[in-house]
């Protein structure tokens, strides 16, 4: 039977269990809002140590002028370290941020049920364990909810509120509302493997690893394409090195196992080798990159500067790449436009050269259908009016001159050119298509709504655009075509389009509006 609950307010005491980086950060967030916070850790002295680390961080904010000394002192005064879990009995909300172990979490929450009031809300910061499974061992599982913060909690905006099968809707909504009051970007999701972020983000790593495995491009080049064409803050290999391969590989493996071996979440043998070698990234001094003091980070592959073409012809509409037209005109290149074939993507022509946005097929495959032409494909960019790098892939049938002409055009527009091998879907296009596809499947499977996918990925992992909004921008029909062509190329279930994406395409709809 659910106990009636008043809305949570800043007058309620909040307790945090676990005084590591995450737990202490959550305590800081709650105290900054105005709560009295109890900070507990079973390790002797750990709670005070966690508070001391918080104090040092706040001092730096004061020194940089981002916080007043008075505000710092008031915040710290609201956090009370405690050495015994019994001291948490007065809390209205208890947030657990301890080891990712089901039995340990269940034991802690069971003990809390015997100490706290019947209307105390219990929240777990787990990132990988089912909230439903944790709640299964409790007397009042309806009071348990997931409250997944991202590290560092005071800085990262996202909180995923996760409903277990037994979680009371009122409990979930109150935690959702409170996290919003704390200034967080809050999303609601069902307790499914990976929740939103750790599920939808898998292709960002997986597709980069697949391109690397196939020799499409090296790590530095793939990272540069992600940053300079896709406007991601970090490329996949830089980010995996930062996260730690032991952690990233474990999450991928966990999601893969939880979804009964779904090929979309297949772990990479390349990353497995790094883990087994102990090359975990920055924290061990070596991952995809070498972080030794004397190490020189490799440069991305950048094509030598070529002559700009005197004239080009744009046939049809370039769709998401239409902004290239204005850049061509601004570069002083003579441009002729002609009507293309209806329902056929536009292209740029320079003599026998055909330049087109990748549709998921290899350039060699497209060239085979038109042997009298020479095909070079270009990759996706978030904003073609601002992109500073573009990836090109030439068909095996294309001449070196055709590739130089293609590179010369984009270089004249102010872009660096990375020539990659002719891999299906190139780099950014296949990655964004798969991110959007996974987001669509999360919505289709009732894990969350469309808005939650985009909010989660922008606020939780700093994507430049939500994947479903990005798919709308590219055009859902084009994204769908990319995926279908990847299915044909690889013959793998991994690239199957989400039923929701197909429905939107055939209904001539977008995810947003």
């Amino acid at each position: 039977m659910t106990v009636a609950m008043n809305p949570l307010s800043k007058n309620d005491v909040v307790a945090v269990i676990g005084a590591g980086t995450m737990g202490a950060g959550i305590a800081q967030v709650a105290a900054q809002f105005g709560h009295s916070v109890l900070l507990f850790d079973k390790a002797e002295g750990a709670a005070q140590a966690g508070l001391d680390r918080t104090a040092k961080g706040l001092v730096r904010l004061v020194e940089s002028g981002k916080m007043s000394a008075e505000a710092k002192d008031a915040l710290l005064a609201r956090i009370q370290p405690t050495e015994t879990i019994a001291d948490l009995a007065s809390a209205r909300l208890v947030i657990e941020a301890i080891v990712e172990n089901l039995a340990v979490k269940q034991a802690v929450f069971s003990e809390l049920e015997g100490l706290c009031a019947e209307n105390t809300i219990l929240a777990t910061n787990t990132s990988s364990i089912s909230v439903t499974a944790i709640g299964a061992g409790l007397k009042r599982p309806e009071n348990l909810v997931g409250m997944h913060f991202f590290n560092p909690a005071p800085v990262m905006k996202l909180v995923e509120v996760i409903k277990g099968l037994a979680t009371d809707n009122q409990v979930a909504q109150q935690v959702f509302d409170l996290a919003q009051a704390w200034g967080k970007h809050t999303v609601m999701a069902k307790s499914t493997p990976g929740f939103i972020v750790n599920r939808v983000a898998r292709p960002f790593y997986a597709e980069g690893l697949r391109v690397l495995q196939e020799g499409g491009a090296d790590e530095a080049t793939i990272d540069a394409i992600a940053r300079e064409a896709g406007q991601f803050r970090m490329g996949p290999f830089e980010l995996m090195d930062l996260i730690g391969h032991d952690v990233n590989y474990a999450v991928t493996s966990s999601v893969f196992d939880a979804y009964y071996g779904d090929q979309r979440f297949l772990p990479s043998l390349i990353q497995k080798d790094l883990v087994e070698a102990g090359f975990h990234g920055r924290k061990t001094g070596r991952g995809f990159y070498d972080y030794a003091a004397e190490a020189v980070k490799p440069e991305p592959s950048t094509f030598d500067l070529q002559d700009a073409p005197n004239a080009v012809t744009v046939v049809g509409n370039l769709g998401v790449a239409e902004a290239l037209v204005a850049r061509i005109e601004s570069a002083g290149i003579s441009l002729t436009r002609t009507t293309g074939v209806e329902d056929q993507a536009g292209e740029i022509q320079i003599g026998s050269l055909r330049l087109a946005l990748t549709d998921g097929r290899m350039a060699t495959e497209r060239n085979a259908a038109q042997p009298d032409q020479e095909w070079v494909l270009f990759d996706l960019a978030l904003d073609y009016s601002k992109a500073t790098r573009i990836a090109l892939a030439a068909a095996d049938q294309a001449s070196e001159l055709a590739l130089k002409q293609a590179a010369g055009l984009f270089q004249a527009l102010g872009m660096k050119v990375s020539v990659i091998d002719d891999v299906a879907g190139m780099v950014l296009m296949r990655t964004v298509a798969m991110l959007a596809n996974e987001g669509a499947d999360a919505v289709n499977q009732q894990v969350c709504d469309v808005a939650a996918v985009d909010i989660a990925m922008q606020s939780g992992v700093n994507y430049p655009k939500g994947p479903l909004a990005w798919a709308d921008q590219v055009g859902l029909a084009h994204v769908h075509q990319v995926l279908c062509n990847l299915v044909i190329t690889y013959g793998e279930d991994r690239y199957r389009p989400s039923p929701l994406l197909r429905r939107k395409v055939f209904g001539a709809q977008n995810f947003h509006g």
Side-chain angles (χ1 to χ4, degrees), residues 175-429:
V175 169
F176 183 96
D177 293 342
L178 183 66
Q180 284 197 320
W182 288 357
K184 296 300 184 181
H185 298 167
T186 312
V187 294
M188 190 86 75
K190 288 198 308 186
S191 182
T192 50
F195 307 145
I196 302 175
V197 170
N198 279 331
R199 171 184 179 163
V200 177
R202 296 347 294 163
F204 184 67
Y205 316 110
E207 294 310 309
L209 286 161
R210 175 65 73 93
V211 172
L212 178 68
Q213 184 177 22
E214 295 180 6
D218 59 44
E219 299 95 327
T221 301
I222 294 170
D223 281 343
I225 293 166
R227 290 193 313 271
E228 299 170 39
Q231 295 182 29
F232 286 94
R233 293 190 184 183
M234 302 179 78
F237 301 102
E238 296 167 313
L239 184 54
M240 283 185 281
D241 272 4
L242 177 64
I243 294 168
H245 294 288
D246 52 339
V247 175
N248 189 261
Y249 180 76
V251 172
T252 300
S253 299
S254 174
V255 174
F256 178 69
D257 292 340
Y259 279 105
Y260 304 107
D262 189 330
Q263 293 297 296
R264 279 187 182 158
F265 308 110
L266 182 69
S268 168
L269 291 175
I270 293 176
Q271 192 172 40
K272 182 175 184 286
D273 279 349
L274 289 175
V275 172
E276 291 177 343
F279 299 160
H280 293 169
R282 289 190 183 186
K283 60 188 175 185
T284 62
R286 181 174 175 183
F288 284 110
Y289 299 107
D290 187 345
Y291 296 93
E294 67 279 6
V296 177
K297 187 174 180 179
E299 292 293 322
S301 173
T302 302
F303 204 67
D304 291 340
L305 194 62
Q306 304 297 319
D307 293 334
N310 295 320
V312 303
T313 299
V314 175
V315 180
N317 189 290
L318 298 181
V320 69
E322 184 65 19
L324 290 174
V325 172
R327 290 184 77 161
I328 292 170
E329 292 175 329
S330 295
I333 297 171
S334 177
L335 185 144
T336 302
R337 299 208 67 163
T338 63
T339 303
V341 178
E342 188 176 355
D343 295 329
Q344 185 171 307
E347 61 186 49
I348 300 171
Q349 299 180 355
I350 306 173
S352 63
L353 169 63
R354 299 295 181 265
L355 261 171
L357 175 64
T358 176
D359 65 359
R361 290 178 290 171
M362 292 177 283
T364 301
E365 180 181 351
R366 296 183 71 165
N367 210 142
Q370 296 171 296
D372 58 329
Q373 299 168 355
E374 298 181 281
W375 279 82
V376 175
L377 302 181
F378 60 88
D379 203 355
L380 182 63
L382 175 65
D383 184 346
Y384 285 95
S385 70
K386 298 177 181 178
T388 57
R389 183 178 295 271
I390 197 73
L392 301 181
D396 291 347
Q397 302 93 326
S399 64
E400 183 68 17
L401 174 61
L403 180 58
K404 288 181 177 180
Q405 289 176 318
L409 171 62
F410 283 101
Q411 289 166 342
L413 309 187
M415 299 188 203
K416 295 178 181 178
V417 172
S418 289
V419 176
I420 67 171
D421 198 23
D422 188 17
V423 293
M426 303 189 71
V427 174
L428 199 59
M429 178 62 85

Side-chain angles (χ1 to χ4, degrees), residues 431-466:
T431 299
V432 171
M434 286 293 281
L435 288 169
N437 198 44
E438 198 52 54
D441 232 28
V443 176
N444 191 57
Q445 294 171 11
Q446 309 295 296
V447 174
C448 61
D449 60 22
V450 166
V453 170
D454 285 346
I455 291 170
M457 303 315 292
Q458 287 187 279
S459 301
V461 279
N462 293 316
Y463 281 11
K465 196 177 189 73

Side-chain angles (χ1 to χ4, degrees), residues 32-57:
Q32 187 163 338
F33 181 68
H35 294 283
S36 293
V37 180
L38 301 170
L39 181 60
F40 168 72
D41 195 297
K42 70 174 184 178
E44 185 177 353
Q48 183 61 53
L51 181 58
D52 291 344
R53 288 195 304 273
T54 297
K56 289 181 181 179

